[in-house]
Amino acid sequence: MPGVAFVVAVVPDEDPGLEPTVRVHSHDEHVVPYEIMRWFMELVADQVERCRTAFEQEERGGSQAAG
């Protein structure tokens, strides 16, 4: 993709003992350990699922009230 990457995953293939990291592009570049990013993304996925479920239930409830 053209342009500067916002988030880059770094997998250290030269040393299997090193943990993967995620680098977040900014003026003060941040490095996030892989396990922290996995934990965060699991929280995000859970929240997305809860929102989708609530939205579907709201749609079903609204269509039943209208019908």
Side-chain angles (χ1 to χ4, degrees), residues 25-41:
H25 177 72
S26 67
H27 295 290
D28 304 327
E29 186 167 306
H30 300 283
V31 176
V32 180
Y34 177 70
E35 287 301 319
I36 303 266
M37 184 59 83
R38 279 189 53 189
W39 168 80
F40 175 73
M41 293 309 298

Side-chain angles (χ1 to χ4, degrees), residues 13-67:
D13 58 356
E14 69 279 355
D15 184 353
L18 294 175
E19 289 293 317
T21 57
V22 177
R23 296 181 186 272
V24 180
H25 177 72
S26 67
H27 295 290
D28 304 327
E29 186 167 306
H30 300 283
V31 176
V32 180
Y34 177 70
E35 287 301 319
I36 303 266
M37 184 59 83
R38 279 189 53 189
W39 168 80
F40 175 73
M41 293 309 298
E42 286 174 10
L43 290 177
V44 170
D46 289 345
Q47 182 65 31
V48 168
E49 188 60 34
R50 282 194 299 275
C51 288
R52 287 180 177 165
T53 299
F55 183 72
E56 289 171 3
Q57 289 174 350
E58 185 177 295
E59 278 190 338
R60 279 189 241 131
S63 64
Q64 290 175 353

